[in-house]
Structure formats: structure tokens, C-alpha cells
Amino acid sequence: MQREIEQIVNEGNAAIGAATSTEALAQVDTELFGKRSALSAAHRSLGSLDPDARKEAGRLLHEARALLEGQLAARRVTLAQSERAALLVSDRLDLTEVIPAQMASPLSRGHLHLVSQARDELEDVFVGMGFEVAEGPEAESDWYNFEALNMPPAHPARGMYDTMYLDIGEPETVLLRTHTSPVQIHLMEDAARHGTLPIHAVMPGKCFRLDTPDARHLPVFNQIEGLVVDRGITFGDLAGTIQTFTTAYFGEGMQSRLRPAYFPFTEPSAEYEITCAICRGAGCRTCSNIGWVELGGCGMVDPAVFAAVGIDSDEWSGFAFGFGIDRLALMRHEIPDLRSFMENDIRFLSQF
Ligand code: DAH
């Protein structure tokens, strides 16, 4: 028995020494102390010895176990330390290093965030199609964000927007805009007041919703709104504009579709979707296994909206759309998770 125990200890020590990672060591742990280990077998065989021999063998086994456990624990500390040191080196981000100006290469200079680049490119695409660029405020009144867009108080469609209200003025009257559609209202009111119709404009900007961040949602995100108000505008103009835009932004071969949908401010309305660029339509975590990713909504401006801003819908018609800039960038660059945009990891950001 004594020789057997010595052998267990020797082999155990060798195995502990040979493990080069904490993962491998965990395996050795099971092999040494698990139910099927030589140590457990020796324990089980104690019963067949006579009382004196059993006492002596029991003591030796106890010592052997304690010895091996000590070696294993010490080895675990050493391996964990070197693994952590290696991780620190590979993950090193030196924020204190100052590079003298004359040594800094053009590559070490900062640049615009991917989302800002996407916004600029989208503006360029639409300017190329004859649109102007406009902006509106991020804090809005209930009128601009909801009511003028054909969503009176208590309209069920307000439920689509988990709204963040600002604590100024009457309760629930000032809010962080939940979409860029209120900028349409500002443009149409101004044009009606000053007699400057038609309108061909895109309106990029930040939007806010009480959403839990996930692969496709952020509580602060960016949209680009589009609005055309002119004589004789049809759904064909809308579909053609979106098709031209898709090719200009994604290149040839990106599959897109318009799906019937409901928005209070357009009639008819549609959702704009493209084949998920991550899985090419097969289904993945980014598209929640649907194979398509919704990039925004669109439709023909509802006559009730024209009425709210004082535009005669017998003379004028129009289309509108609102696309998520972050999602457009996500799909174009095949990034699986929107949260990467917010993490400020220089290794991610410097790729674009
Ligand atoms: N504002 C909508 C949203 O964020 C998107 C949208 C739908 C904008 C239809 C439009 C439109 O201009 O016509 O959910």
C-alpha cells in the first residue's frame, strides 16, 4: 500500500508540474481527486485491510492527499498570475504615452466616429439626389413629436415610443424627441408660412428612447429623416428614391424590401428592410433569426399632417422616410452588435 501511495504522489506531482494553463490544471484536479482517481480507489480499498494496517494506510493517504492539494493550489496561483500578466500585455492600452508631434504618423491621428462618418456619407448620397440638409431641436414639445404627426394625446401609437420626458413646464409636455419626424413638421410649418414649397430635404440627428441596449437597440441613436413635398408625388417616387439610395449606400446586390406597415403620419406606410448582412439571411443573433433587419419606416404624408401644418393636400402631396443611421452603418460594415458603437474601445473604433 505504501509503495502504491508513493506512486500516486509522484505521478500527481508530475501531472501538476506538466499542466501549463489553469484550464489544464482543472483537468488534473479532477483526475487526481475525482471519484475515478487512484486516490479514491485506494481509499475504497482500506476496508479490506486489518485494523492496524488500515489506520496506518489511512494516515498515509491523508498525508498524500494534503500534499497533492497543496501542490495543486500553489501551481494554480502561479499559472493564474502568468495568465493574467499575459492578458494585461495583450490588452494593453497605454493612455499615458505621449508621441512628440514630429514623430506622430498620420495613422496615429484621431478621426470621426463611424456613426458620424455614416451620417456624412448619407448626407452626401441624398445631396447627390437633389435633397437639402436640415436640422431640428433634440428637445421637443408634445406637439412636434406627436400631435402634429397625427398622434393626439392617448393615441395608441404613442406606445411605440418609450418616451423620456423633461421635467420643465407642464407634465409630459417637453420631451427628448423619439424620432426625427418632428423636424418634418418644423420644415412644413416654415414653408407654409413663407410660401417656400416645394420641400426636398433630409434631416439627420440624435433620437432618444427608454430602450434597453441590445444588438439592434440603443437608448440614444441616430436617424436620418427624409421629406419631399411637391406637386404630383406618388408612392413610385418614394420606392424609386429608396432603391437609388440603397444602391448608392450599400453598392449593387444588397437585397431590400418595403413591407406594409402602420405609422400615424403616413398613409400608406411601409417598413424598409434589408437582408441581414451578418448572416446573409440565414438567421443570427443580430437579426433575431429573421434574416431581415428593419432599417426604418416610410410612406406618403398623411393629409391630417398636411392639415396640422397648413398645407393644402389637394394641391400638394409628398413622401417621407426615417432611417436608423446606426443600423445602416452596422449593416454596411457587417458589425454584429450596435453596442460596439458606445464602448469607446479604440481597437474597434480605429478599424473604420
Ligand atoms: N418616425 C418613425 C419611427 O421612428 C419612422 C418613420 C416612419 C419616419 C414613416 C417617416 C415615415 O418619415 O414616413 O418609428
Side-chain angles (χ1 to χ4, degrees):
M1 188 79 177
Q2 189 172 352
R3 215 166 330 116
E4 202 181 308
I5 294 173
E6 267 168 26
Q7 197 187 340
I8 292 176
V9 170
N10 288 342
E11 285 177 6
N13 273 333
I16 291 170
T20 51
S21 68
T22 49
E23 208 184 318
L25 195 66
Q27 182 65 35
V28 172
D29 191 339
T30 323
E31 283 163 15
L32 283 182
F33 304 114
K35 274 208 191 77
R36 276 184 227 147
S37 63
L39 211 53
S40 298
H43 262 293
R44 281 194 295 273
S45 70
L46 286 180
S48 62
L49 299 177
D50 62 59
D52 279 350
R54 188 190 311 156
K55 202 170 164 202
E56 175 61 7
R59 190 181 60 78
L60 288 175
L61 266 183
H62 181 74
E63 274 174 21
R65 173 179 283 270
L67 190 81
L68 287 174
E69 278 173 350
Q71 301 283 16
L72 193 99
R75 181 79 180 142
R76 191 182 294 119
V77 170
T78 313
L79 287 173
Q81 271 170 356
S82 63
E83 279 171 16
R84 181 162 162 70
L87 189 70
L88 283 177
V89 169
S90 69
D91 263 9
R92 179 168 177 268
L93 276 183
D94 189 349
L95 303 177
T96 63
E97 196 173 357
V98 177
I99 303 174
Q102 69 270 23
M103 275 173 63
S105 72
L107 284 177
S108 62
R109 228 188 276 157
H111 61 69
L112 289 179
H113 190 281
L114 176 57
V115 172
S116 304
Q117 294 180 39
R119 185 198 57 217
D120 289 353
E121 283 174 44
L122 290 164
E123 286 179 13
D124 288 349
V125 167
F126 284 109
V127 166
M129 292 165 75
F131 287 74
E132 286 175 39
V133 179
E135 279 184 359
E138 290 172 2
E140 281 288 12
S141 65
D142 188 89
W143 164 259
Y144 285 101
N145 197 78
F146 289 124
E147 196 151 358
L149 287 161
N150 201 23
M151 280 179 277
H155 191 287
R158 288 186 179 215
M160 297 197 296
Y161 306 100
D162 292 316
T163 310
M164 298 192 216
Y165 288 96
L166 292 174
D167 192 9
I168 41 177
E170 290 288 302
E172 307 213 337
T173 51
V174 190
L175 46 86
L176 291 175
R177 67 179 176 198
T178 58
H179 50 178
T180 42
S181 300
V183 191
Q184 288 186 34
I185 303 298
H186 288 287
L187 292 194
M188 287 191 278
E189 277 183 347
D190 286 352
R193 193 175 306 127
H194 300 112
T196 52
L197 286 170
I199 299 170
H200 301 85
V202 287
M203 301 139 254
K206 274 201 188 84
C207 306
F208 308 83
R209 287 184 205 173
L210 273 168
D211 270 339
T212 307
D214 66 24
R216 274 172 300 138
H217 298 87
L218 292 176
V220 181
F221 57 101
N222 298 271
Q223 286 188 339
I224 184 161
E225 192 81 11
L227 175 69
V228 169
V229 180
D230 208 334
R231 293 186 174 87
I233 297 294
T234 69
F235 198 91
D237 296 311
L238 169 61
T241 302
I242 290 185
Q243 187 57 54
T244 310
F245 156 76
T246 305
T247 310
Y249 187 67
F250 290 107
E252 295 289 345
M254 174 58 88
Q255 217 189 339
S256 67
R257 68 179 184 186
L258 292 180
R259 234 161 47 107
Y262 170 76
F263 295 100
F265 30 96
T266 42
E267 181 61 35
S269 306
E271 263 167 2
Y272 169 59
E273 300 184 335
I274 62 162
T275 302
C276 178
I278 308 299
C279 62
R280 312 267 160 204
C284 65
R285 198 175 57 84
T286 307
C287 61
S288 301
N289 283 318
I290 294 167
W292 293 86
V293 173
E294 190 226 309
L295 296 179
C298 61
M300 302 304 291
V301 179
D302 194 294
V305 175
F306 280 141
V309 295
I311 290 179
D312 179 0
S313 57
D314 287 336
E315 187 182 353
W316 303 94
S317 59
F319 68 73
F321 56 81
F323 298 158
I325 296 180
D326 319 72
R327 284 193 190 179
L328 284 163
L330 196 75
M331 286 293 116
R332 176 155 145 196
H333 298 281
E334 299 174 20
I335 300 162
D337 198 310
L338 213 49
R339 287 169 289 197
S340 318
F341 290 164
M342 301 297 277
E343 284 163 355
N344 279 338
D345 187 328
I346 206 85
R347 293 164 299 184
F348 170 77
L349 296 173
S350 57
Q351 292 174 59
F352 306 101

